[in-house]
Amino acid sequence: MSRTAGSHGPATLAAIRKAGLRLIYEHGYEALTLRRLAADVGILSGSLYNHIKTKQDLLFTLVRNHMTDLLANLDQALAGLDDPVAALAAFVRLHVTYHMERRYEVYIANSELRSLEPENRATIVAMRERYERQLIEILDHGVAAGRFRVADTRVGAFAIIAMLTGICTWYRPDGPLGPEEIVRIHTDLVMQGLAG
């Protein structure tokens, strides 16, 4: 196989990550072969090692990049929000929107956590816990202020995240509802469920 014209450095690495994301989403991590990945990118199999160390390195990078982006977006969405109701609405908007736009990344981060080696898994779990903690803190603040009613904010946070993440299983960009309407429905459901 000949090298794809213009495929070098950062462009090739981006192509490898994009193809890896799609192939893992479609076939699963275990079924992914580096030969297939190289063929999809248009490079020789041995050339992959100029860009990734191993298949595990690729998976970890994809999941870590997803979590890094999610956390950065959440930090930005919550910046300057002291009111727990406003913060919760921002959390819901960010989570639902991100999960509609980044379905491949979300699916892989959830379904292939089991495929990460222990050290890599521990890193990702710590990042997930940081994300969950931010929602727990919002709920704690809302309960303390008398704005939310929830018996256990940790359980409440897990329930909210599970409900919101479910969008990955049914959302279609060509569906009857637009993103704004979907965000509004989810926000209403969460707020009504926590009404104090």
Side-chain angles (χ1 to χ4, degrees):
M1 170 177 294
S2 62
R3 182 182 175 97
T4 302
S7 66
H8 61 279
T12 301
L13 179 58
I16 289 167
R17 289 179 179 169
K18 183 176 180 182
L21 192 66
R22 182 181 54 77
L23 290 169
I24 294 170
Y25 178 83
E26 291 174 356
H27 306 288
Y29 174 74
E30 290 303 324
L32 174 67
T33 67
L34 293 183
R35 184 180 312 273
R36 171 72 187 273
L37 178 60
D40 268 40
V41 176
I43 61 176
L44 296 170
S45 296
S47 298
L48 283 172
Y49 298 106
N50 293 323
H51 305 280
I52 61 171
K53 295 176 190 169
T54 62
K55 187 169 91 163
Q56 175 69 197
D57 177 57
L58 174 64
L59 177 63
F60 176 59
T61 298
L62 292 173
V63 177
R64 185 187 61 213
N65 287 353
H66 153 71
M67 286 305 306
T68 299
D69 289 349
L70 183 59
L71 286 164
N73 282 315
L74 182 59
D75 287 344
Q76 184 177 5
L78 297 178
L81 295 179
D82 293 324
D83 175 50
V85 174
L88 182 58
F91 180 95
V92 172
R93 170 173 289 283
L94 177 275
H95 192 93
V96 171
T97 302
Y98 185 97
H99 285 62
M100 284 190 286
E101 295 172 351
R102 307 275 296 269
R103 289 173 51 193
Y104 283 15
E105 291 91 335
V106 171
Y107 177 82
I108 290 168
N110 290 328
S111 68
E112 297 296 350
L113 186 65
R114 68 184 185 275
S115 299
L116 289 169
E117 293 173 354
E119 185 176 337
N120 291 340
R121 186 181 310 111
T123 298
I124 300 305
V125 167
M127 295 175 86
R128 288 171 66 145
E129 288 173 350
R130 180 180 155 211
Y131 185 79
E132 294 159 355
R133 249 190 335 270
Q134 292 198 59
L135 179 54
I136 293 167
E137 288 171 6
I138 292 169
L139 298 181
D140 285 340
H141 184 194
V143 169
R147 305 292 297 277
F148 303 146
R149 182 179 47 80
V150 58
D152 186 307
T153 55
R154 188 169 181 268
V155 172
F158 292 157
I160 290 168
I161 289 171
M163 180 184 78
L164 300 179
T165 302
I167 196 165
C168 293
T169 63
W170 59 264
Y171 172 72
R172 292 187 343 260
D174 61 348
L177 298 176
E180 284 300 316
E181 182 67 8
I182 290 171
V183 167
R184 186 191 64 73
I185 291 168
H186 280 81
T187 302
D188 288 349
L189 284 169
V190 170
M191 294 301 182
Q192 290 165 13
L194 296 174

